[in-house]
Amino acid sequence: MIRAIATDIDGTFLTTNRHYDRQLFKQLYQRMIRQEIRFIVASGDQYYFLRSLFPDIADDLAFVAENGVLTVDCNQEIACGQLKAADVTRIVAYLETLPQTNYIVCGRQYAYVKDTMPDYFIQNMDRFYTRTEVVHEFDFTGDKIFKFALTVPAKKMRAIAHDINTKFAGIIRATASGNGAIDLIIPHMDKSYGLKKLLNRWQVDPADLVVFGDGENDLEMFDLAGTSYAMGNAPANVKAAASQTIGTNDDQAVLQQLAKMLN
């Protein structure tokens, strides 16, 4: 029995051009309501950006945002992580030593980027973040910092992730989302952490959860859910971890599979 559906966004729900068939989703969402199925947006993206994708129903949805560090249900914060200020300072100092590495510091209120980052990197932020601040020096007074989003040379991604996990064990964990993108998240606060919070709140068994994803940062929710679907554009290890592989994000395979399931 399906009682909840969770989907990743980039490379999964959205096409490469970052669109989705809104009319079809509207019809499918109405079916979910009639069948009393919860819909969860589970993504590494900023919460405010994710809300902007579903402007008419955002207050009625559940979000596991920033790769699990922030969980919101019907506009109510359920869980939110926070790094210690001293740890944030240490991590920033380390990232500044990495060549060809650009990074964003993610907080509850804003995503922060230094004005010394390349123009193309700063201008590209609005693809993933709605609330941003470009600063000369970091000052996180009044905000909760809980994640870092990095872009690194793809060939060095594994080595950098390993180095971070060694240097900052127990403080931050590197999880790769592909193409040189690495998110640094609070240990144990991954997507499955947020999903568990929601399922417990709703008294839903994980066996009744269906999930969709395309990246290694989706593996924990694959392990949690009763049924998991990997996208056709996912790497081999992600496909191997899923119950089934479907079409690609550009095929809008999530919506097609939902249509079959909800019928």
Side-chain angles (χ1 to χ4, degrees):
M1 179 180 180
I2 302 172
R3 296 191 59 197
I5 296 168
T7 183
D8 174 52
I9 290 297
D10 298 300
T12 301
F13 189 80
L14 295 182
T15 65
T16 302
N17 293 328
R18 300 182 69 72
H19 298 300
Y20 70 95
D21 187 332
R22 293 176 183 255
Q23 188 58 40
L24 175 56
F25 176 75
K26 183 177 180 179
Q27 296 170 10
L28 295 173
Y29 182 65
Q30 290 303 314
R31 291 186 206 171
M32 291 182 219
I33 292 175
R34 289 195 294 270
Q35 297 177 36
E36 298 184 335
I37 297 172
R38 305 272 190 165
F39 184 72
I40 309 162
V41 180
S43 169
D45 292 336
Q46 186 186 47
Y47 168 63
Y48 303 103
F49 170 77
L50 296 174
R51 284 183 58 92
S52 73
L53 297 176
F54 306 92
D56 298 331
I57 57 172
D59 286 347
D60 302 321
L61 298 182
F63 296 88
V64 176
E66 306 277 10
N67 267 329
V69 75
L70 175 62
T71 301
V72 178
D73 181 26
C74 296
N75 214 22
Q76 180 180 351
E77 183 179 299
I78 306 303
C80 181
Q82 182 175 9
L83 290 163
K84 294 179 180 178
D87 290 332
V88 173
T89 300
R90 284 182 57 211
I91 294 166
V92 167
Y94 169 79
L95 295 179
E96 288 290 335
T97 69
L98 296 178
Q100 296 178 281
T101 296
N102 302 316
Y103 67 92
I104 297 166
V105 184
C106 305
R108 179 66 175 89
Q109 300 302 323
Y110 292 96
Y112 303 88
V113 65
K114 275 192 170 182
D115 57 13
T116 52
M117 293 292 164
D119 288 343
Y120 75 85
F121 182 75
I122 295 174
Q123 292 165 6
N124 198 44
M125 281 182 67
D126 62 4
R127 296 189 68 216
F128 307 96
Y129 301 90
T130 299
R131 289 191 184 182
T132 62
E133 283 198 355
V134 180
V135 298
H136 186 63
E137 295 293 340
F138 290 129
D139 179 5
F140 305 122
T141 305
D143 205 350
K144 293 181 178 180
I145 302 305
F146 47 44
K147 195 190 82 172
F148 292 79
L150 286 56
T151 60
V152 304
K155 292 182 179 180
K156 297 181 179 180
M157 183 173 67
R158 299 290 180 192
I160 290 173
H162 176 76
D163 194 38
I164 290 171
N165 287 335
T166 302
K167 289 180 181 294
F168 299 99
I171 297 171
I172 203 84
R173 182 171 69 86
T175 178
S177 54
N179 299 319
I182 300 175
D183 280 350
L184 307 186
I185 61 176
I186 297 171
H188 311 301
M189 294 193 76
D190 51 39
K191 291 184 182 182
S192 69
Y193 174 86
L195 290 176
K196 287 175 186 175
K197 291 284 185 183
L198 293 171
L199 297 182
N200 289 338
R201 175 179 170 86
W202 302 331
Q203 297 184 315
V204 170
D205 192 299
D208 297 326
L209 170 66
V210 174
V211 299
F212 297 85
D214 77 303
E216 292 186 0
N217 60 341
D218 297 316
L219 292 176
E220 288 88 357
M221 68 176 187
F222 280 19
D223 289 339
L224 174 68
T227 305
S228 54
Y229 293 99
M231 308 306 294
N233 48 284
N237 63 323
V238 174
K239 292 177 181 177
S243 306
Q244 183 178 330
T245 298
I246 56 176
T248 70
N249 62 317
D250 285 329
D251 297 330
Q252 298 201 68
V254 172
L255 295 182
Q256 301 304 322
Q257 187 63 31
L258 287 178
K260 295 176 184 177
M261 290 163 42
L262 296 172
N263 277 337

